Amino acid sequence: MSDACGSDSPHKEIKVWDRDSGDLLASSEPRSFAGAVLEWMPSGAKIAAVCDGKDGNECPSVVFFERNGLERSRFSVDAKVKFLKWNCSSDLLAGVVECENYDAVRIWCFSNNRWYLKHEIRYLKRDEVRFIWNPTKPLQLICWTLSGQVTVSNFVWNTAVMENSVALVVDGSNICVTPQSLSLMPPPMYLFSLKFSSHVRCMAVYCKNSKNQVAAFLSDSSLCVVELPSIETWEELEEKEFIVEASQTEMAFGSILHLEWLDSHTLLAVSHYGFSHSNDLFQTSSTEGGLRGFYLQEVELKCSEDLVPGLLTCSGWHATVSKQNTLEELVIGIASNPANKHSACVQFSRGEIQEYVAKIGINRGSLEQEHHGFSAACPWMSVVLVGSASLSKPVLFGLDEIGRLHANGRIVCNNCSSFSFYSNLADQVITHLILATKQDLLFIIDIVDIFNGELDSKYSNFVRINNRKKEENESYINIWERGAKIVGVLHGDEAAIILQTTRGNLECVYPRKLVLVSIINALVQKRFKDALLMVRRHRIDFNVIVDYCGWQAFSQTASEFVRQVNNLGYITEFVCSVKNENIIEKLYKNYVSIPCPKVPNVMLVGGLQNCPGGNKVSSVLMAVRKALEDHITESPARDLCILTTLARSDPPLLEDALKRIKVIREKELSHADDQGRMSYPSAEEALKHLLWLADSDAVYEAALGLYDLNLAAIVALNAQKDPKEFLPFLEELERMPTLLMQYNIDLRLKRFEKALRHIASAGDSYYDDCMALVKKNPQLFPLALQLFTDHTKRMPFLEAWGDHCSDEKCFEDAAAIYLSCFKLDKALKSYRAINNWSGVLTVAGFLNLGKDELLHLATELCEELQALGKPGEAAKIALEYCGDVNTGVNLLVSARDWEEALRVVFMHRREDLIKTVKNASLECASILISEYEEGLEKVGKYLARYLAVRQRRLLLAAKLQSEELAASDLDDDATSEASSNFSGMSAYTKGTRKSSAASISSTATSKARDTRRQRKRGKIRPGSPDEEMALVEHLKGMSLTVEARRELKSLLVSLMMFGEGETCRKLQQMGENLQLSQMAAVRLAEDTISNDTINEYAHTLEQYTQKVRSEMHNSEAFSWRLKIFWSHE
């Protein structure tokens, strides 16, 4: 700061030089500066100086200049400023102000382009107070005096917002009041202000039972109380200033540091006495008492004035200190206990919590030890009620200086910047915790999740989710401006959160989760109108109203819904939004976790039985339609709404809607009810409304379906169809007889059943048309048989039905139908087409075929069955119909029916065939023994490979998991890409995890790859993702089938008959070993595939074989064995 125009000039100017070069960078305009007070903001943005009142201002001003010398802003000061100091974060400016009887340290802050005086500490003039800001802690102020007293003040930013969202802002000797629930006015705007005799130092608000009270402690040691009227009357208070008088008291309060309401007539305060800046030293009467130190004081308030509705009570208050306790430790904060209106929680310097019980309580003004304290000092503290209305309990929340949010002895969040609470109930029981993090994320937390230990799983440890797949399920809201804080919450149906940015602006957000909670709360309380209004206001899917308690329950309460809403426009909007899906389980499943109360089954029985379609849309709209007819007065709007319910049904009930329009049209033509004409819309209006809701072609077809040609013509004209398209068709229909007209309309609309009924009623001359219609639409055959009862007319339909079944390869049904109409030749062909040889031979008997023809037919059937791989059935025909024993025995041997082959041989006394059967059985036993040996070897090989692959997968998965845990300790930006690469991997993964630089494969490529994988599933490809499951499937496929066990038992019996005991024993032993090994291997694989570890000692084939042998020894699976060769290991 230097002289402007010479040493004699009173004006000076600010000059800025470059530190390194010494060049003059800028200079300000000449001003009349007061002294040499000059302070540069640590951030370098502003320079603060003091100008006196000679420029035309009555009071000195603190002026702020930019570094280029231009004036930025200013504010007036009512006294001389000795010097100024910025804090280290450049957001607070403190200065020593010389007043008439004292000096004061004042602190200002800048918000939303306005400077606010936030605090004043008074000192005696003789002390010549000085101060300095802590260079590392922006909210710590250190003051000292000539007498040697040093005072360290730690400030905390507190938000003064009542539970009814009334915000109060301290500005010097004024408190600006703004009801945020009525209007969101950011500072410096406000509704009205309270004017005090001196500057406000601390303040407490009270809002319970429709009472709104404010208590303010002033820098001159005065205590002021204001009772505000009901918020509904505040519109009359706009832009008014109310002067608040100090309350009368007989004892000085000292310097009050903390102030809290216990009830509407009791305050709890922490004050100190005896220091040079304590207000009691300015009053001679208080020094005689000799009070020194910190005290916890209970202050009782009484008002001598009557409360006038709609007016503020600013005077007539009397304050008395009824109880006073000495404090040995510093108090960090006080919070009233909502569970007991006569108590409060007091927090001391190390986070300990003690509960204070008021004088009127049982313990009469004493401190009690509280068990759940904080692990560190929490300057921001709240006590709230949680639980249900009948079983609520108080819970203590606290936020410390490093951002840890504490709740009842546990840490909820480690990076919290601000928090608040939301209640959707009238009893103030808190249901949700609202917190903002230092990463500018807003979380809405269910209180029950805190005590159920589900915070990490549901809220991702309160950090940003970097996995793209989880972005849809993110449980937070991104705050758009860095550093914004939560300053208020609108409770109940408002469901809003008010944020204040660092600039000072206020922003109101409506989180989807809170909105849904408020809607659901209204639905539970049967407040359908409030729920519908919230759904419309916040653009929530209307199906929430139906889906929360289920469409069956809503259908029972639809009449109450219609009665409450009583707005046909809203009801029509709701009707048009109902759809056949559960929105709660699909769209809002991540927001709604409250279980819906179940509706008794008795309520769900009744009108829903007649619901068309039985689905959600049809049921709900039918219930709404019935409620409209019962509870809403007749009007054109009501009829249009009813038409909407018909058109929006699933499927649309267009015919019913057209019938209503037809009735209206008939009334208009008859002029019978001219007086009630205003109670329903015109037919043209109703038809246009229906055409707007539904497809015009569908409405036209529905009109045709009513067989009303005039109505169909009107619909076509209003649908703007070309007359050349529909008039010739309608004229042609009009010239036809009624039944033929209906038949042709039904054919056009593809209503074939009605068409068949109409043409069948037209007479015998249309019999051929009936037959043609039924042949084109085979589903009509049963109806045709019902309509034509005459035998001669039924037979052609039966034969035609059989021909249709035969063409469709349904030979079994075709044969039965042919038999019913005595078409035996066609029945025989149908049985032969499905190789039903018994049916063929039975029908041949009905046809009275000759011996040679029957023999020829049997020989052909035998050859066909043999070619189809059915030697057992072919053997029966050869033996029973052809009489060929040699062929029959050979076929039984091919079918491995050894016992039956021996029986046939001995029955026909063919000793020459015994040796043939014996040799074939021995050869079959030898083949099976070698197959079983090979199978045993494969079981061991497949199981060993499976265990090796499984062990390798588990080791690789454990390695990846450890790498993920190590990566999670890094910075969020560094780990975002790594976590996305590792999170979905396993030893053999089907998916691909690629970085942002990699190309993304198309959906078509993925589908083609899946198709190829399905096609190759039967193969075991080493190293493929499906190798484990393929090995298990192969092991399962090696089991002995029921047919194989039957053939094996038959072979064992026949070998015993031939005296081949040793071969029989060896075959049974090999088969038993293979079956035991296969079952043991499958069980071992199933046990290990669901575990994360493999025990090389317990998970062995030998161990599991012993278990299976002991458990399955007498089971049905081993019933094929001969007891004589059982093993007893």
Side-chain angles (χ1 to χ4, degrees):
M1 187 179 295
S2 63
D3 295 334
C5 302
S7 58
D8 297 335
S9 174
H11 292 81
K12 296 181 180 181
E13 59 184 10
I14 297 175
K15 294 183 178 181
V16 180
W17 286 271
D18 184 84
R19 177 181 296 180
D20 298 327
S21 64
D23 297 336
L24 180 65
L25 297 180
S27 60
S28 68
E29 295 180 358
R31 296 290 179 88
S32 177
F33 292 101
V37 179
L38 195 65
E39 179 68 13
W40 200 330
M41 183 182 287
S43 64
K46 298 176 185 177
I47 302 171
V50 180
C51 294
D52 56 22
K54 295 179 180 180
D55 291 341
N57 297 325
E58 297 180 358
C59 300
S61 300
V62 177
V63 185
F64 300 93
F65 296 89
E66 296 180 358
R67 59 192 305 168
N68 57 8
L70 297 178
E71 182 179 334
R72 181 72 172 270
S73 61
R74 65 164 62 205
F75 64 88
S76 300
V77 186
D78 57 358
K80 178 183 177 182
V81 180
K82 290 185 176 181
F83 65 94
L84 300 171
K85 287 289 182 182
W86 292 98
N87 69 339
C88 61
S89 60
S90 303
D91 58 351
L92 294 178
L93 177 66
V96 175
V97 178
E98 183 180 356
C99 299
E100 183 177 356
N101 299 320
Y102 58 89
D103 289 346
V105 176
R106 293 182 181 177
I107 302 174
W108 295 271
C109 77
F110 185 76
S111 178
N112 227 14
N113 206 31
R114 177 181 173 85
W115 285 93
Y116 293 88
L117 175 58
K118 288 296 182 182
H119 201 73
E120 181 185 72
I121 308 174
R122 294 187 179 184
Y123 286 85
L124 298 175
K125 278 184 170 294
R126 64 174 182 267
D127 290 333
E128 296 188 14
V129 63
R130 294 292 183 269
F131 72 89
I132 189 174
W133 288 100
N134 190 310
T136 58
K137 297 180 180 181
L139 294 178
Q140 188 177 89
L141 184 71
I142 305 171
C143 303
W144 65 89
T145 63
L146 291 179
S147 62
Q149 177 179 299
V150 179
T151 306
V152 180
S153 301
N154 291 304
F155 295 100
V156 173
W157 283 108
N158 282 326
T159 316
V161 180
M162 295 183 180
E163 293 180 1
N164 58 359
S165 303
V166 175
L168 300 98
V169 179
V170 174
D171 184 15
S173 59
N174 292 331
I175 293 181
C176 305
V177 183
T178 305
Q180 295 176 342
S181 59
L182 300 180
S183 177
L184 197 65
M185 292 187 290
M189 294 186 292
Y190 54 87
L191 187 67
F192 64 90
S193 65
L194 306 175
K195 179 69 175 178
F196 298 90
S197 57
S198 62
H199 300 302
V200 178
R201 285 192 61 176
C202 65
M203 174 178 56
V205 295
Y206 179 85
C207 178
K208 284 183 182 178
N209 301 325
S210 301
K211 273 186 171 291
N212 303 307
Q213 292 176 301
V214 180
F217 178 72
L218 310 181
S219 58
D220 63 353
S221 191
S222 300
L223 180 65
C224 300
V225 180
V226 182
E227 183 166 350
L228 305 176
S230 177
I231 296 183
E232 288 76 12
T233 63
W234 282 20
E235 293 183 1
E236 302 175 359
L237 308 180
E238 186 174 1
E239 296 183 358
K240 292 185 179 180
E241 182 179 85
F242 298 91
I243 299 176
V244 182
E245 298 180 3
S247 60
Q248 300 177 6
T249 180
E250 298 176 355
M251 176 181 177
F253 291 107
S255 289
I256 294 181
L257 303 179
H258 302 281
L259 194 62
E260 184 70 19
W261 288 91
L262 294 181
D263 56 40
S264 58
H265 291 85
T266 309
L267 287 168
L268 187 64
V270 174
S271 61
H272 62 78
Y273 295 85
F275 300 102
S276 60
H277 61 279
S278 297
N279 297 318
D280 61 307
L281 294 182
F282 292 92
Q283 304 176 17
T284 56
S285 61
S286 64
T287 56
E288 297 175 359
L291 294 177
R292 294 186 65 87
F294 293 89
Y295 292 88
L296 185 64
Q297 297 175 332
E298 183 178 334
V299 181
E300 291 186 1
L301 301 172
K302 294 182 181 180
C303 184
S304 58
E305 297 182 1
D306 295 332
L307 178 63
V308 180
L311 297 179
L312 281 75
T313 305
C314 304
S315 59
W317 291 92
H318 184 81
T320 305
V321 179
S322 59
K323 182 67 178 179
Q324 186 168 267
N325 295 333
T326 305
L327 297 173
E328 302 296 333
E329 296 184 54
L330 291 176
V331 174
I332 300 298
I334 305 175
S336 61
N337 185 0
N340 184 0
K341 65 179 182 179
H342 303 300
S343 67
C345 293
V346 181
Q347 181 189 177
F348 293 93
S349 57
R350 290 177 295 181
E352 301 95 340
I353 301 294
Q354 291 187 8
E355 184 178 3
Y356 177 84
V357 182
K359 182 180 178 181
I360 60 175
I362 299 176
N363 297 318
R364 303 184 64 80
S366 63
L367 283 170
E368 296 179 348
Q369 183 66 36
E370 185 74 16
H371 298 289
H372 296 290
F374 301 131
S375 58
C378 296
W380 298 274
M381 181 177 66
S382 294
V383 184
V384 296
L385 287 176
V386 301
S388 61
S390 57
L391 298 174
S392 60
K393 63 176 181 179
V395 176
L396 195 62
F397 286 85
L399 179 63
D400 59 24
E401 293 180 346
I402 61 175
R404 294 182 302 179
L405 181 61
H406 304 252
N408 267 20
R410 70 180 74 182
I411 295 178
V412 175
C413 177
N414 287 312
N415 60 343
C416 178
S417 61
S418 58
F419 70 97
S420 187
F421 304 95
Y422 169 79
S423 172
N424 61 0
L425 305 174
D427 52 11
Q428 303 299 321
V429 175
I430 298 301
T431 57
H432 292 79
L433 168 67
I434 318 295
L435 68 85
T437 67
K438 295 179 180 179
Q439 288 76 33
D440 299 311
L441 305 177
L442 183 66
F443 286 87
I444 315 297
I445 304 166
D446 293 290
I447 288 293
V448 294
D449 291 340
I450 299 176
F451 302 102
N452 293 341
E454 299 179 356
L455 293 178
D456 293 343
S457 60
K458 286 190 176 182
Y459 305 98
S460 305
N461 204 21
F462 301 103
V463 296
R464 191 183 305 275
I465 300 174
N466 294 310
N467 190 348
R468 291 184 179 180
K469 287 188 176 182
K470 295 183 179 179
E471 286 181 358
E472 297 179 357
N473 301 328
E474 60 187 24
S475 56
Y476 56 82
I477 300 172
N478 288 294
I479 300 177
W480 54 95
E481 188 162 343
R482 180 174 298 179
K485 300 291 183 69
I486 302 171
V487 296
V489 173
L490 302 183
H491 300 276
D493 292 349
E494 292 296 329
I497 299 174
I498 300 173
L499 302 172
Q500 186 170 26
T501 64
T502 53
R503 297 177 288 110
N505 266 12
L506 294 180
E507 299 287 349
C508 185
V509 295
Y510 296 86
R512 181 65 52 86
K513 185 172 183 177
L514 289 188
V515 170
L516 286 170
V517 166
S518 60
I519 292 172
I520 288 172
N521 184 56
L523 291 175
V524 171
Q525 298 174 1
K526 304 297 182 185
R527 295 186 289 114
F528 293 111
K529 183 176 182 180
D530 295 336
L532 182 67
L533 292 176
M534 286 186 280
V535 165
R536 295 185 74 256
R537 185 187 313 129
H538 300 289
R539 301 194 178 192
I540 303 295
D541 196 307
F542 281 88
N543 287 271
V544 168
I545 300 174
V546 179
D547 293 336
Y548 179 67
C549 289
W551 60 265
Q552 298 92 339
F554 178 83
S555 299
Q556 299 296 328
T557 57
S559 58
E560 181 65 19
F561 170 80
V562 171
R563 188 188 62 78
Q564 287 188 23
V565 175
N566 198 24
N567 186 311
L568 292 171
Y570 292 171
I571 296 175
T572 302
E573 189 177 1
F574 166 77
V575 166
C576 292
S577 302
V578 179
K579 50 189 174 183
N580 270 325
E581 61 178 323
N582 194 320
I583 294 299
I584 295 293
E585 296 178 356
K586 186 178 180 181
L587 185 61
Y588 300 129
K589 63 180 179 180
N590 297 320
Y591 301 103
V592 179
S593 59
I594 306 172
C596 171
K598 298 297 181 183
V599 180
N601 293 331
V602 179
M603 295 179 60
L604 303 181
V605 180
L608 297 181
Q609 297 175 351
N610 301 323
C611 171
N615 56 25
K616 170 188 168 183
V617 174
S618 299
S619 304
V620 170
L621 297 193
M622 187 188 74
V624 172
R625 182 164 60 253
K626 188 175 184 303
L628 288 170
E629 294 171 348
D630 294 343
H631 299 285
I632 301 298
T633 307
E634 288 187 3
S635 65
R638 191 200 75 160
D639 276 24
L640 294 179
C641 188
I642 292 175
L643 285 177
T644 305
T645 63
L646 293 169
R648 287 293 182 178
S649 293
D650 186 20
L653 303 177
L654 298 179
E655 290 191 2
D656 293 342
L658 287 171
K659 287 178 182 177
R660 298 182 70 92
I661 296 175
K662 186 177 179 180
V663 171
I664 295 174
R665 179 169 166 268
E666 291 173 353
K667 288 182 179 179
E668 290 178 348
L669 296 176
S670 64
H671 304 286
D673 190 14
D674 292 338
Q675 295 181 353
R677 178 67 186 84
M678 300 302 295
S679 62
Y680 54 86
S682 65
E684 182 181 3
E685 181 185 1
L687 183 57
K688 287 183 178 180
H689 182 76
L690 182 61
L691 288 170
W692 177 73
L693 291 170
D695 180 59
S696 58
D697 292 334
V699 177
Y700 174 68
E701 292 179 355
L704 282 176
L706 295 176
Y707 311 117
D708 189 336
L709 301 182
N710 292 328
L711 181 61
I714 295 174
V715 171
L717 289 173
N718 281 276
Q720 297 182 352
K721 286 182 174 292
D722 188 356
K724 295 180 181 179
E725 295 180 359
F726 67 87
L727 276 182
F729 174 69
L730 295 180
E731 291 172 353
E732 183 182 358
L733 290 175
E734 193 173 13
R735 290 191 294 268
M736 293 180 183
T738 303
L739 289 175
L740 286 182
M741 178 197 72
Q742 294 173 346
Y743 166 72
N744 282 278
I745 289 176
D746 292 332
L747 283 183
R748 177 185 176 92
L749 301 181
K750 297 182 180 181
R751 301 190 304 192
F752 299 114
E753 289 189 7
K754 288 187 176 182
L756 180 59
R757 293 181 186 275
H758 288 141
I759 196 64
S761 302
D764 295 339
S765 58
Y766 296 99
Y767 181 81
D768 293 338
D769 293 329
C770 292
M771 180 62 71
L773 177 62
V774 172
K775 285 183 177 180
K776 287 183 180 179
N777 302 278
Q779 71 274 13
L780 298 178
F781 277 111
L783 178 60
L785 294 177
Q786 293 178 10
L787 295 176
F788 294 94
T789 57
D790 185 37
H791 181 74
T792 57
K793 294 181 180 180
R794 286 172 59 90
M795 290 301 107
F797 281 107
L798 287 171
E799 185 177 359
W801 195 2
D803 294 339
H804 168 72
C805 292
S806 181
D807 294 339
E808 294 293 326
K809 309 299 182 185
C810 301
F811 297 109
E812 189 77 28
D813 296 331
I817 295 173
Y818 284 140
L819 289 174
S820 67
C821 63
F822 305 106
K823 298 296 181 181
L824 299 181
D825 292 337
K826 292 185 176 181
L828 188 143
K829 291 180 181 179
S830 297
Y831 278 132
R832 192 164 184 178
I834 57 175
N835 299 304
N836 187 346
W837 60 271
S838 61
V840 171
L841 294 173
T842 302
V843 174
F846 280 109
L847 290 171
N848 296 319
L849 295 180
K851 184 176 181 181
D852 294 337
E853 292 179 350
L854 186 61
L855 180 60
H856 180 70
L857 180 61
T859 303
E860 288 181 351
L861 289 173
C862 184
E863 292 174 356
E864 290 175 4
L865 291 172
Q866 189 175 356
L868 290 172
K870 298 179 179 180
E873 297 181 10
K876 286 186 178 182
I877 297 176
L879 292 170
E880 296 176 4
Y881 288 90
C882 300
D884 190 350
V885 178
N886 290 338
T887 303
V889 170
N890 288 329
L891 288 173
L892 288 173
V893 169
S894 299
R896 295 188 178 184
D897 196 351
W898 307 102
E899 295 177 88
E900 181 65 15
L902 284 175
R903 187 191 68 80
V904 171
V905 167
F906 286 113
M907 183 182 70
H908 292 280
R909 299 183 181 275
R910 294 290 302 274
E911 286 80 2
D912 56 320
L913 295 177
I914 295 176
K915 188 174 182 180
T916 301
V917 177
K918 180 179 180 180
N919 292 337
S921 63
L922 288 173
E923 183 182 357
C924 181
S926 176
I927 294 173
L928 288 177
I929 289 172
S930 59
E931 287 180 357
Y932 292 162
E933 288 178 349
E934 184 181 355
L936 251 164
E937 183 181 351
K938 285 184 178 180
V939 168
K941 183 173 67 173
Y942 289 158
L943 183 62
R945 175 60 182 171
Y946 165 79
L947 292 174
V949 172
R950 182 64 183 166
Q951 185 71 25
R952 182 182 175 189
R953 183 189 293 273
L954 293 176
L955 290 174
L956 185 54
K959 180 180 178 182
L960 291 175
Q961 186 177 6
S962 64
E963 290 177 357
E964 285 184 353
L965 292 175
S968 64
D969 296 333
L970 301 175
D971 184 68
D972 291 342
D973 296 334
T975 59
S976 60
E977 187 173 351
S979 62
S980 64
N981 288 331
F982 286 137
S983 60
M985 292 182 64
S986 61
Y988 303 103
T989 176
K990 296 182 183 179
T992 56
R993 293 277 177 166
K994 298 183 179 181
S995 63
S996 58
S999 62
I1000 301 174
S1001 60
S1002 66
T1003 306
T1005 306
S1006 301
K1007 290 183 177 179
R1009 185 169 57 250
D1010 292 340
T1011 304
R1012 291 195 301 271
R1013 185 178 294 117
Q1014 292 288 340
R1015 195 162 49 241
K1016 297 180 180 179
R1017 181 152 296 185
K1019 299 180 181 179
I1020 301 177
R1021 299 177 58 201
S1024 67
D1026 296 325
E1027 184 179 3
E1028 282 181 73
M1029 297 308 300
L1031 288 167
V1032 175
E1033 292 301 321
H1034 270 71
L1035 287 172
K1036 291 180 179 179
M1038 294 178 67
S1039 62
L1040 293 179
T1041 63
V1042 176
E1043 184 64 22
R1045 294 200 297 267
R1046 186 195 64 77
E1047 293 175 358
L1048 183 57
K1049 185 171 184 179
S1050 178
L1051 180 58
L1052 291 173
V1053 172
S1054 65
L1055 287 174
M1056 286 297 296
M1057 290 179 181
F1058 288 124
E1060 297 293 335
E1062 184 61 27
T1063 304
C1064 183
R1065 182 193 62 77
K1066 186 175 181 181
L1067 176 60
Q1068 177 169 316
Q1069 184 178 359
M1070 293 303 299
E1072 181 180 359
N1073 290 341
L1074 174 62
Q1075 192 173 8
L1076 286 172
S1077 298
Q1078 185 270 339
M1079 296 175 69
V1082 170
R1083 183 178 296 186
L1084 191 154
E1086 290 176 346
D1087 289 349
T1088 54
I1089 203 166
S1090 59
N1091 292 334
D1092 295 335
T1093 58
I1094 294 179
N1095 189 334
E1096 59 182 4
Y1097 299 105
H1099 296 145
T1100 62
L1101 183 60
E1102 291 77 10
Q1103 294 282 348
Y1104 275 78
T1105 302
Q1106 293 297 330
K1107 290 181 183 178
V1108 173
R1109 186 187 298 274
S1110 60
E1111 295 174 3
M1112 309 293 291
H1113 187 67
N1114 294 318
S1115 67
E1116 182 67 25
F1118 290 90
S1119 61
W1120 57 269
R1121 299 176 302 170
L1122 301 180
K1123 264 192 175 182
I1124 190 172
F1125 298 123
W1126 277 12
S1127 60
H1128 300 281
E1129 298 179 4

